[in-house]
């Protein structure tokens, strides 16, 4: 049994999501190989070879693999797929993009977003936005899986001594091409990867008022989020939306401010380690999931909190 | 050109689902069902392309039980020209749906298939990509902007940390993210008009597709409950707890 983990990287750094995925692979048993598909990505392969528990790194390097196009990356994975019992992708935007393409070509089902490994063929994953956990068994010869990174602690980036093997790059599909990228211009961490998230809800009252969360987020090094109510009211951009139809987060600390705690919102954040709720309505459902609740007017409590930190 | 928009009937996003006591699944008897929110966005995008004169026909498709007809009527009330139901009582997994859609694409010959990025029941986020793979078409997932021009489509995608734009050769597959558009409301006159539109029904057997589930669900359980929290009297107490008890700041 040998497991292939598809590396998440930007051609210069191996992203931590890869190490979370190696941790999931380790729970299945067997050798773990890592595939680095990229352009000028030798440095990434070097980093992957040092990751604890990795036996071999496969490097496919070609200009058309630079931007992680699904068609080209999937072809690269398929070229070696038959050597493996499991193919694991981190459940990131890029992993989710490519994994089903690989699964369909292999004519196997995919298990999405696993949060636990019960055995090499049995996995747990959330459904209904985390309101239920399904335990599923796969009888497919190759198991294609995406791994929810917040479900597994990353293995160490040191300690491994994997050999690096170079693969011949598959041909460019020619079906799609990369045009450009717009990287979000803020110093704040990315919402789904942030250790701390500060979110505002309808209680913020206006887009203007939402700005009082900025100093708090800055102090905590937190990402900013919002409830669907706040997004629908135009108080916050909709890529901030945390919830069933938005982003699902599981940070160390989630601070919900002026958020009542509708089901739709809770589904996106209730796996956070510690939840703090600040709301003036003591009956708000958010207090039912909060570890620490403060019944207070947010317009007083937030500036006070900034000062106290 | 023709656009195919697959839509799924799911438990309404406002419903809090409950796990059945025998752990065989979630209880969806007598709960409100609706069109998957991401599919509404897909349909809206298809309608906007049609209203710009870039698309001649929008065909809505759903796979599942007979009640999916309601979802398709909604799709036609939003503006789809006609609808196809692939009717089966088998619980369909994404690979099976992708194969059914491939068979329909072979029949209908659309230039574009626009799907939601994921359904809010199984949360799989697989079908669009699988369909693209089966057809050997290019894909652009998590779309926040779509621009058709000649025989290519430029799609801006929501990726971790920002946006990226791809250019795809048609025919192509697009899956929608939340930011793509704001779906329109269905009006009463349009609901009436939708009743007169064509809704064809076909079976997986007629399409020659084996829809047997590949993954076996052993059990469905409640997520672990959170332990009850405490109410703190003031900000100072909160900061103290976060620093010394929870140790998260």
């Amino acid at each position: 049994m040998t497991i292939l983990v598809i590396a998440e990287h930007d051609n210069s750094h191996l992203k931590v999501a890869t190490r979370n995925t190696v941790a999931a692979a380790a729970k299945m048993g067997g050798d773990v190989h890592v595939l680095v598909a990229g352009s000028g990505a030798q440095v990434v392969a070097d980093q992957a070879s040092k990751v604890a528990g990795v036996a071999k790194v496969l490097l496919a390097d070609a200009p058309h693999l630079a931007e992680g196009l699904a068609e080209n990356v999937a072809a690269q994975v398929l070229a070696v797929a038959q050597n493996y019992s499991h193919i694991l992708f981190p459940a990131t935007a890029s992993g989710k993009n490519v994994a089903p393409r690989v699964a369909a070509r292999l004519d196997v089902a995919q298990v999405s977003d696993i949060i636990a490994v019960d055995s090499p063929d049995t996995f747990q994953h959330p459904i209904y936005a985390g309101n239920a956990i399904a335990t599923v068994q796969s009888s497919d010869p190759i198991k294609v899986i995406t791994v929810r990174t917040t479900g597994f602690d990353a293995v160490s980036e040191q300690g491994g001594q994997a050999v690096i093997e170079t693969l011949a790059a598959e041909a460019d599909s020619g079906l799609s091409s990369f045009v450009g990228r717009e990287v979000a211009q803020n110093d704040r961490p990315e919402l789904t990867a942030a250790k701390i998230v500060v979110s505002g809800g309808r209680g913020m009252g206006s887009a203007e008022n939402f700005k009082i969360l900025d100093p708090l987020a800055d102090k905590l090094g937190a990402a900013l989020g919002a409830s669907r109510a706040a997004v629908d009211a135009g108080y916050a951009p909709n890529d901030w939306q945390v919830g069933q139809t938005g982003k699902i987060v599981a940070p160390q600390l989630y601070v919900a401010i002026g958020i009542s705690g509708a089901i739709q919102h809770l589904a996106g954040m209730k796996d956070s380690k510690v939840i703090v709720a600040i709301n003036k309505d003591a009956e708000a459902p958010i207090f039912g999931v909060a570890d620490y609740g403060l019944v207070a007017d947010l317009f007083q409590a937030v500036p006070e909190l900034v000062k106290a930190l | 050109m023709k656009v195919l928009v697959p839509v799924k009937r799911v438990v309404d996003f406002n419903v809090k689902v409950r796990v059945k006591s025998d752990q065989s699944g979630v209880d969806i008897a007598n709960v409100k069902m609706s069109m998957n929110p991401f599919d509404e966005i897909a349909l809206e995008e298809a309608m906007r392309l049609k209203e710009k004169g870039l698309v001649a026909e929008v065909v809505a498709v759903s796979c599942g039980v007979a009640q999916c007809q309601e979802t398709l009527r909604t799709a036609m009330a939003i503006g789809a020209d006609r609808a196809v139901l692939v009717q089966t009582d088998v619980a369909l997994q994404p690979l099976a749906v992708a194969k059914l859609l491939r068979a329909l694409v072979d029949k209908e010959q659309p230039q574009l298939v626009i799907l939601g990025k994921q359904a809010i029941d199984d949360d799989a986020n697989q079908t669009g990509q699988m369909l693209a793979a089966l057809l050997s078409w290019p894909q652009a997932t998590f779309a926040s902007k779509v621009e058709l021009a000649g025989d290519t489509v430029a799609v801006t995608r929501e990726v971790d940390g920002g946006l990226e734009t791809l250019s795809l050769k048609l025919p192509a597959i697009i899956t929608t993210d939340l930011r793509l558009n704001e779906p329109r409301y269905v009006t009463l006159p349009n609901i009436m008009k939708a009743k007169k539109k064509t809704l064809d029904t076909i079976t997986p057997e007629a399409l020659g597709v084996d829809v047997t589930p590949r993954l076996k669900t052993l059990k469905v359980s409640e997520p672990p409950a959170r332990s009850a929290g405490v109410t703190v009297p003031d900000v100072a107490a909160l900061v103290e707890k976060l620093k010394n008890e929870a140790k998260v700041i």
Side-chain angles (χ1 to χ4, degrees), chain B residues 3 5 23-24 35 38 55 63 65 69 80 92-93 103 109 111 114 119 134 137 146 156 158 221 235 242:
Chain B
V3 177
V5 182
Q23 298 200 321
S24 62
M35 187 186 296
F38 292 106
V55 163
C63 303
V65 295
Q69 285 182 14
L92 296 173
Q93 292 178 348
Q109 299 286 315
Q111 287 293 98
I114 310 180
L134 296 176
W137 288 9
V146 172
T156 301
E158 291 197 24
S221 47
V235 167
L242 290 177

Side-chain angles (χ1 to χ4, degrees), chain B residues 168-225:
Chain B
L168 311 183
K169 283 189 185 155
L170 295 177
I173 304 289
I174 295 172
T175 77
T176 63
D177 215 322
L178 270 187
R179 262 213 278 194
L180 183 57
N181 60 48
E182 182 130 345
R184 65 195 65 186
Y185 287 102
V186 178
T187 61
L188 190 58
N190 285 340
I191 292 173
M192 303 312 288
K193 270 187 227 159
K195 289 183 178 167
K196 296 200 182 90
K197 292 183 180 175
T198 314
L199 196 167
D200 293 318
T201 300
I202 192 167
T203 62
E205 294 73 36
L207 290 170
V209 176
D210 175 13
V211 293
T212 314
R214 297 292 193 81
L215 292 173
K216 188 170 157 197
T217 300
L218 302 180
K219 68 170 183 183
V220 174
S221 47
E222 294 274 358

Side-chain angles (χ1 to χ4, degrees), chain A residues 8 67 69-71 92-94 96-98 100-105 107-113 122 125-140 174-184 190 192 196 220 228 238-239 241 244-248 252-253 263-264 269-276 278 287-295 300-301 304-305 308-309, chain B residues 11-17 19 26 28 37-38 93 95 98-99 117-118 120-127 129-142 154 156-169 177-182 214-224 226-236 238-239 241-243 245-249:
Chain A
E8 171 102 1
E67 309 298 344
L69 293 173
E71 298 79 10
T92 53
S94 58
K96 290 173 179 177
N97 190 33
V98 179
R101 207 167 165 108
V102 170
R105 277 294 173 85
D107 193 29
V108 301
Q110 179 192 310
V111 188
S112 291
D113 250 332
T122 306
H125 71 122
I127 54 174
Y128 289 90
N131 285 312
I133 308 295
T135 303
V136 297
Q137 188 174 34
S138 162
S139 53
D140 284 321
L175 293 169
S176 65
S177 56
F178 177 80
V179 177
R181 179 166 292 136
E182 229 179 282
V183 178
E190 196 192 306
T192 48
I196 301 181
L220 292 169
R228 180 171 176 153
N238 60 0
D239 56 328
Q241 185 182 319
Q244 187 165 13
T245 54
K247 290 184 170 132
I248 297 186
Q252 294 287 304
L253 172 63
I263 302 160
Q264 128 80 30
M269 45 65 83
K270 68 182 166 47
D271 291 332
S272 306
K273 186 159 173 270
V274 174
I275 298 172
V276 169
I278 301 176
F287 289 116
V289 299
D291 298 279
Y292 302 109
L294 174 62
V295 180
Q300 282 165 11
E304 235 180 276
L305 188 53
L309 287 168
Chain B
V11 170
D12 188 89
F13 74 90
N14 282 312
V15 173
K16 169 137 175 68
V17 295
V19 171
V26 298
I28 56 167
F38 292 106
Q93 292 178 348
L95 183 61
K99 288 179 179 178
K117 75 164 176 180
Q118 73 187 60
I120 61 166
D121 51 3
D122 62 14
D123 284 337
N125 190 335
Q126 300 173 8
T127 308
Q129 296 91 314
M130 286 182 157
L131 177 61
L134 296 176
L135 291 164
S136 293
W137 288 9
Q139 70 186 49
T141 49
F142 324 137
T156 301
R157 307 176 56 229
E158 291 197 24
V159 292
D160 296 332
L163 301 171
E164 71 173 32
T165 304
L166 304 181
S167 173
L168 311 183
K169 283 189 185 155
D177 215 322
L178 270 187
R179 262 213 278 194
L180 183 57
N181 60 48
E182 182 130 345
R214 297 292 193 81
L215 292 173
K216 188 170 157 197
T217 300
L218 302 180
K219 68 170 183 183
V220 174
S221 47
E222 294 274 358
R226 295 189 72 91
S227 49
V230 294
T231 304
V232 294
D234 54 33
V235 167
L238 176 62
V239 171
K241 293 264 192 202
L242 290 177
K243 277 189 174 149
E245 196 177 274
K247 297 188 169 61
V248 285
I249 56 172

Side-chain angles (χ1 to χ4, degrees), chain B residues 53-109:
Chain B
L54 298 168
V55 163
E57 188 182 31
V58 176
V59 182
V61 181
S62 195
C63 303
V65 295
Q67 291 91 324
C68 295
Q69 285 182 14
E70 296 160 20
T71 314
L72 289 171
R73 289 288 168 203
T74 305
M76 290 190 286
I78 291 168
D81 296 288
R82 60 189 174 86
V84 180
L85 170 63
V86 183
Q87 194 175 330
T88 173
D89 289 331
V90 176
L92 296 173
Q93 292 178 348
L95 183 61
V97 176
K99 288 179 179 178
L100 293 171
L101 293 174
R102 172 180 57 179
L104 285 174
V105 166
D106 287 344
K107 271 174 73 131
E108 298 277 350
Q109 299 286 315

Side-chain angles (χ1 to χ4, degrees), chain A residues 17-29:
Chain A
T18 314
R19 293 190 280 120
N20 299 112
T21 310
V22 170
K27 299 215 158 144
M28 294 168 193

